[in-house]
Amino acid sequence: LTPGARRAVARQTTGNGIKQSGEVRFIVGAKPVVTSPEEGGTVHTDTPTFTGTATPNSAVEVLVDGEVVCTATADATGAFACTPATPLQAGGRTVVARSTGSTSEEVHFTVGPFDRDGDGIIDGTVLSGGGCAAAPAGLWLVAAAAWLARRRRR
């Protein structure tokens, strides 16, 4: 069945004609989709925010490696987001979302290396190659000689 509101009616044929039972109304939910992190992506935090879509206003569970790490309620458009309270271990992980009896496709991603201070630079990265220290050693001699030559002309 396609997602949306549905109704079911049971009918029984007897010798006197057709008898109808009560009507049952139900909603067929949309299969949830994890949109972040992306397939094959890397998150540089151990508490990433998981986002996706599901049936509007439905409860959503997010599972990493088979364990529920956070829950959310999809909004009126079906969007959901949640962040685990317990940090994830670094390494390869698999995430799915579960809602209204359906489970999303698996998304494989990597946790770490980390940028714990949020400056956009991976923790432990040694920065080099900029400023005066990046100039070749011979350039210093040329610059010093030019400076001395200018001073002597004055």
Side-chain angles (χ1 to χ4, degrees):
L1 295 174
T2 59
R6 302 285 178 256
R7 66 185 184 97
V9 177
R11 293 188 176 124
Q12 177 183 10
T13 304
T14 65
N16 299 339
I18 297 176
K19 291 185 178 181
Q20 183 172 321
S21 71
E23 182 176 275
V24 177
R25 294 179 181 269
F26 59 97
I27 295 176
V28 176
K31 186 173 184 176
V33 175
V34 175
T35 57
S36 179
E38 294 180 356
E39 174 65 32
T42 299
V43 295
H44 298 290
T45 175
D46 51 7
T47 54
T49 298
F50 296 101
T51 63
T53 58
T55 299
N57 305 311
S58 66
V60 180
E61 294 179 312
V62 174
L63 297 85
V64 173
D65 298 335
E67 299 293 323
V68 175
V69 297
C70 59
T71 60
T73 300
D75 67 15
T77 68
F80 72 85
C82 68
T83 303
T86 303
L88 303 176
Q89 294 295 313
R93 301 281 169 252
T94 301
V95 62
V96 296
R98 189 167 55 198
S99 177
T100 61
S102 295
T103 301
S104 70
E105 298 295 323
E106 292 183 344
V107 174
H108 304 90
F109 68 104
T110 301
V111 176
F114 301 112
D115 175 17
R116 295 193 197 288
D117 58 6
D119 63 1
I121 300 170
I122 301 304
D123 297 349
T125 301
V126 177
L127 301 178
S128 63
C132 296
L139 185 58
W140 282 107
L141 291 174
V142 171
W147 181 77
L148 285 173
R150 287 177 87 191
R151 282 191 56 113
R152 287 189 182 152
R153 287 188 204 151
R154 291 184 188 181

